[in-house]
Amino acid sequence: DARRGILYWLCAAKLKRLSRLSSAQIAEAVRDEIDATEELRFPIGRIDERLRKGYGETIYLSHDDIDSIFDEATYNTQRGEFLLHLLRFPQSADPGHSYEADHIFPQNQVEDKYEDLMHRIGNLQFLRDDENLSKHSSEFGDWLTSQTDEYRQRHFIPSSEDGSLYELENFPEFVEQRETLIRDHLLKVCDSLR
């Protein structure tokens, strides 16, 4: 439970750019609240309250925060990687594996027609290195048929009764629907930590 709170804190702090505050201000708030708590949980609520009262900052993501993050958290960016880590929350990563950012619809299939959407979070997922190697540049719809329902849920894959959402010509709609699922998950995570 404490590790999950710490993971959320680290990812959300980077996503919200709390680093605009001086590192001394952040460290002092975190240190003081950890020292003052008798709970075994990471005192995220107390830290948030201190940051809100002292600096007008909150660690919890709002709908507006998420929209802003989606515009900037793209492939090969620090914000993109922190957001991908947060999508696994509250589950932890499989120990002993490294993870790679993967384009759900492979780059070579979308770069000509949908370059503006190619690197958005709606087309990115963290896969274990062995999973990413097996997926490589397969067409998403074909690869998806070999995946479990657990995979679809864990990666926020929108449902498609007839599979048409997984076809290249429906890529913009896929990204939009997946970002809606991701936004809903992030808001639910924030609510659960309050």
Side-chain angles (χ1 to χ4, degrees), residues 107-120:
Q107 294 179 75
N108 65 357
Q109 295 173 17
V110 296
E111 63 191 345
D112 291 336
K113 191 171 181 183
Y114 302 112
E115 187 176 4
D116 58 325
L117 297 173
M118 177 173 60
H119 297 310
R120 283 188 64 86

Side-chain angles (χ1 to χ4, degrees), residues 1-137:
D1 205 30
R3 290 185 298 193
R4 290 185 181 133
I6 293 167
L7 173 65
Y8 176 83
W9 161 258
L10 289 172
C11 291
K14 288 303 281 185
L15 288 170
K16 289 193 56 111
R17 294 196 171 134
L18 288 185
S19 55
R20 291 180 197 164
L21 298 175
S22 77
S23 56
Q25 291 169 316
I26 295 171
E28 179 182 338
V30 172
R31 182 188 59 239
D32 290 353
E33 295 307 324
I34 288 173
D35 287 346
T37 190
E38 294 181 16
E39 298 178 39
L40 293 177
R41 293 180 50 186
F42 184 71
I44 196 166
R46 292 174 58 132
I47 294 167
D48 181 69
E49 183 177 345
R50 173 129 177 214
L51 292 175
R52 273 187 298 110
K53 287 181 178 176
Y55 307 107
E57 294 278 359
T58 179
I59 193 63
Y60 300 114
L61 300 171
S62 70
H63 199 283
D64 289 341
D65 291 331
I66 294 168
D67 286 343
S68 171
I69 290 165
F70 279 179
D71 290 338
E72 296 178 28
T74 59
Y75 184 67
N76 272 348
T77 65
Q78 191 177 58
R79 287 185 104 192
E81 295 222 353
F82 275 104
L83 183 54
L84 289 172
H85 278 290
L86 197 54
L87 292 184
R88 293 193 62 86
F89 192 88
Q91 286 76 37
S92 55
D94 297 334
H97 288 280
S98 61
Y99 284 80
E100 300 171 350
D102 169 67
H103 288 83
I104 296 174
F105 279 77
Q107 294 179 75
N108 65 357
Q109 295 173 17
V110 296
E111 63 191 345
D112 291 336
K113 191 171 181 183
Y114 302 112
E115 187 176 4
D116 58 325
L117 297 173
M118 177 173 60
H119 297 310
R120 283 188 64 86
I121 203 69
N123 190 40
L124 299 176
Q125 63 185 341
F126 258 164
L127 290 181
R128 289 190 332 243
D129 51 358
D130 59 322
E131 291 174 318
N132 198 19
L133 186 62
S134 75
K135 179 180 177 276
H136 193 50
S137 59

Side-chain angles (χ1 to χ4, degrees), residues 105-194:
F105 279 77
Q107 294 179 75
N108 65 357
Q109 295 173 17
V110 296
E111 63 191 345
D112 291 336
K113 191 171 181 183
Y114 302 112
E115 187 176 4
D116 58 325
L117 297 173
M118 177 173 60
H119 297 310
R120 283 188 64 86
I121 203 69
N123 190 40
L124 299 176
Q125 63 185 341
F126 258 164
L127 290 181
R128 289 190 332 243
D129 51 358
D130 59 322
E131 291 174 318
N132 198 19
L133 186 62
S134 75
K135 179 180 177 276
H136 193 50
S137 59
S138 304
E139 285 200 27
F140 177 62
D142 294 340
W143 186 78
L144 186 62
T145 61
S146 68
Q147 300 306 302
T148 64
D149 287 340
E150 189 273 332
Y151 162 84
R152 289 179 177 89
Q153 288 179 323
R154 181 172 24 114
H155 291 283
F156 307 97
I157 305 300
S159 60
S160 176
E161 293 295 320
D162 62 359
S164 64
L165 189 60
Y166 313 133
E167 295 172 6
L168 187 58
E169 62 269 9
N170 296 317
F171 177 66
E173 185 179 346
F174 173 86
V175 169
E176 181 181 335
Q177 286 188 27
R178 186 162 181 268
E179 287 184 0
T180 297
L181 293 172
I182 291 169
R183 181 181 296 105
D184 292 347
H185 170 74
L186 293 172
L187 291 170
K188 195 162 97 176
V189 164
C190 291
D191 287 344
S192 75
L193 292 170
R194 290 180 197 259

